[in-house]
Amino acid sequence: MTTALATTGNKTPQAGADLLRIVRINEEIKSVVNVAFKINIMALNAIFLAKRAGTAARGFGVLSNELRVFSQELRDCMASLTGLVYGCVGEVSRMLQDIRYTRLLRQAVAMSPVAQLSAVLAAREIENERHAESLGRQRKQLKMALEDAFRMVELGGVLAKSAKIEAAYGQSFAVPLAQVSGEFDGIVEEIRVSLESLRRSAFFAGK
Amino acid sequence: MKKTKTIFQEGNHKWIAIVRDPAKPNYLIDTNEYLVTHDGKGLLLDPGGAEIFPAVFSALSSEFDPTALVGIFASHQDPDICSSLALWLEFNPAMRCHVSWLWSGFIPHFGGSADTFVCLPDEGGDIPLDGLMLRAVPAHYLHSSGNFNLYDKVAKVMFSGDIGAALLPPGEDGLFVENFDRHIRHAEGFHKRWMGSNEAKRRWCERVSQMEIDMLCPQHGAIYQGGDVQRFINWFDELQVGVVND
């Protein structure tokens, strides 16, 4: 028995659940993109602040620059994740349609063993397999891209923590610099937690 | 599975009604599909919704080689009319779908490609079926704004889509109208609500009164035959439509 024949019935809730999961992943990615934009603005302010603080905050300034670059790279990374998510949404939607058509064709074949209809069903099953394989590939790509994003955010966390240390050398600017670096650290941690939850999504448990 | 009933036959020219599936879930409105065959080729009229495709396909294939279907006639755009289109096209991508030009951009949402659709102008037109000429008769606003009936002048059979439709209770769901007065009670509410224009209705009644019709075949309910055809036209002509109690 081919895959679609064997699994059409129980694949529907699986595909429906996958669609819900991928939509949730997309929503989470959108919130990370918003936060990444906030880091960019904060980093810009931190650069100005470091300039005002002069040589005492030179290290902080360098780190603020790095954080600004990080925020841009994170946004690019999220944009590519969004593209992959859209691909997965499209593929899961196609699979939902496949499942419905396959179910109806199966019923028709069971009720009327017309040879040509069996051939149509077989072709439909091959198409279903192709969509399932394509979703599998996109799911893997998304997982890898998510891992890349996670590693990037861990690096951002290191930058934010280093900025906190540098802030301590900021002399009279130490307090405002510490406040800014604390905010950086908090936001990067927020993104890390978001990405961590995405990595654990049951969507990636599928084949 | 749906039942098939040959309602007209003359040589290799047939009208087959595909009706009444006892296994159909009650939440789906019951529909009648009709197959016109001529010289081994077939045209399927209002093939029905996707959910009933298996029942229609199996019934049809018990009577006719489905590979010989050359086209579909869609009276209008509703899901119970032709949401199965993609499945029929999956079986035979070369099939053509004859439909009002008004819906030619809408029905492709059910399936099909640019090559699938043959657009009918508002005034209607001929649809050839392997030597038999069928006629798409305008029935706009009854109930859809782009709506056609299909007339076979040889068989004197008119497929009337939603015109003449009745929502029949169990026990009164025979294929043919047997007692007009009792039957028409099940059609009245349907026509008052679903038919939108008294003017369009009057024009349709005038038009079809001049045609020779032995059987008037709606997409829901029972077939009118003999004197009941004119009886229905007269009843419809008198009925005030476009009525809703809101």
Side-chain angles (χ1 to χ4, degrees):
Chain A
M1 192 181 277
T2 58
T3 310
L5 275 174
T7 57
T8 300
N10 59 21
K11 266 196 171 175
T12 307
Q14 163 73 32
D18 267 355
L19 193 58
L20 188 62
R21 284 168 190 147
I22 193 73
V23 163
R24 282 186 183 143
I25 288 173
N26 194 35
E27 288 306 307
E28 198 68 40
I29 287 172
K30 272 154 62 179
S31 74
V32 171
V33 170
N34 286 338
V35 174
F37 184 72
K38 233 158 67 180
I39 297 180
N40 189 43
I41 302 290
M42 282 172 63
L44 198 61
N45 287 334
I47 291 165
F48 292 140
L49 187 62
K51 279 205 188 304
R52 278 205 296 278
T55 52
R58 190 167 289 158
F60 187 89
V62 170
L63 286 164
S64 300
N65 247 324
E66 288 300 314
L67 277 163
R68 197 163 172 235
V69 171
F70 159 72
S71 87
Q72 186 53 53
E73 285 177 350
L74 184 63
R75 282 162 63 194
D76 291 347
C77 180
M78 289 297 136
S80 91
L81 275 179
T82 302
L84 288 168
V85 166
Y86 285 166
C88 287
V89 169
E91 211 60 77
V92 175
S93 309
R94 269 188 287 279
M95 283 185 70
L96 276 171
Q97 196 179 39
D98 288 345
I99 288 162
R100 184 177 188 221
Y101 285 172
T102 306
R103 172 176 64 82
L104 294 164
L105 286 170
R106 278 180 66 199
Q107 285 173 15
V109 167
M111 293 166 78
S112 164
V114 172
Q116 290 90 334
L117 192 66
S118 300
V120 169
L121 177 61
R124 154 65 55 199
E125 284 168 343
I126 290 167
E127 189 69 3
N128 294 353
E129 286 299 320
R130 205 177 59 76
H131 288 158
E133 281 166 13
S134 169
L135 177 63
R137 278 195 301 277
Q138 292 188 50
R139 202 193 299 263
K140 266 188 201 155
Q141 273 182 311
L142 182 60
K143 191 165 195 239
M144 280 164 62
L146 203 52
E147 290 300 324
D148 287 347
F150 192 75
R151 275 194 291 275
M152 185 186 290
V153 170
E154 283 194 320
L155 177 67
V158 171
L159 288 174
K161 281 183 176 49
S162 299
K164 263 171 127 174
I165 294 165
E166 283 298 321
Y169 299 106
Q171 296 174 354
S172 60
F173 281 86
V175 173
L177 289 176
Q179 193 185 341
V180 169
S181 59
E183 284 173 9
F184 272 138
D185 196 30
I187 284 179
V188 173
E189 179 58 17
E190 195 183 316
I191 295 173
R192 200 190 66 76
V193 169
S194 279
L195 292 182
E196 181 63 53
S197 78
L198 290 185
R199 288 165 93 198
R200 284 198 303 267
S201 166
F203 179 72
F204 297 111
K207 287 179 187 166
Chain B
M1 185 167 132
K2 284 198 151 207
K3 299 178 191 76
T4 56
K5 172 82 180 166
T6 301
I7 57 172
F8 169 85
Q9 180 162 19
E10 198 173 86
N12 56 14
H13 178 192
K14 270 192 194 180
W15 274 70
I16 298 165
I18 302 167
V19 293
R20 313 289 187 269
D21 179 9
K24 179 191 69 61
N26 285 332
Y27 56 80
L28 291 173
I29 190 166
D30 190 39
T31 54
N32 304 329
E33 291 73 37
Y34 299 92
L35 172 68
V36 188
T37 69
H38 190 258
D39 273 349
K41 299 289 181 198
L43 181 74
L44 183 58
L45 317 184
D46 284 3
E51 285 299 317
I52 63 159
F53 169 79
V56 175
F57 186 92
S58 54
L60 181 145
S61 59
S62 70
E63 284 283 334
F64 181 73
D65 175 1
T67 59
L69 275 178
V70 292
I72 280 169
F73 170 81
S75 62
H76 60 287
Q77 83 293 0
D78 278 347
D80 65 320
I81 301 295
C82 56
S83 66
S84 61
L85 181 63
L87 289 155
W88 289 101
L89 290 171
E90 198 153 337
F91 180 70
N92 178 4
M95 225 182 255
R96 294 287 172 268
C97 177
H98 302 265
V99 67
S100 163
W101 68 272
L102 204 60
W103 303 120
S104 60
F106 292 70
I107 292 185
H109 284 282
F110 290 142
S113 66
D115 296 330
T116 305
F117 298 94
V118 181
C119 296
L120 296 166
D122 282 341
E123 64 273 24
D126 291 334
I127 299 176
L129 177 65
D130 213 49
L132 174 71
M133 202 55 86
L134 299 163
R135 178 84 189 159
V137 178
H140 307 306
Y141 295 104
L142 301 172
H143 71 96
S144 167
S145 43
N147 199 66
F148 284 99
N149 297 162
L150 192 80
Y151 179 58
D152 179 343
K153 68 178 176 191
V154 178
K156 296 178 186 161
V157 176
M158 170 84 107
F159 169 60
S160 59
D162 278 327
I163 302 172
L167 304 174
L168 301 175
E172 291 187 51
D173 56 353
L175 181 56
F176 292 97
V177 173
E178 285 166 10
N179 179 324
F180 183 84
D181 293 335
R182 202 164 62 209
H183 173 85
I184 209 67
R185 288 178 300 171
H186 304 304
E188 187 173 331
F190 186 95
H191 286 77
K192 279 182 175 171
R193 181 63 201 263
W194 262 281
M195 304 298 157
S197 163
N198 284 304
E199 172 61 23
K201 179 204 63 171
R202 167 55 57 90
R203 284 162 66 174
W204 182 87
C205 290
E206 282 173 1
R207 182 179 293 126
V208 298
S209 289
Q210 293 162 18
M211 297 162 79
E212 273 191 280
I213 302 172
D214 287 347
M215 270 185 272
L216 187 80
C217 304
Q219 194 231 351
H220 309 281
I223 295 170
Y224 303 81
Q225 57 181 341
D228 282 341
V229 173
Q230 193 56 49
R231 217 164 275 133
F232 171 76
I233 296 167
N234 294 342
W235 171 86
F236 191 34
D237 195 33
E238 293 291 316
L239 189 72
Q240 284 300 299
V241 300
V243 179
V244 61
N245 298 319
D246 53 0

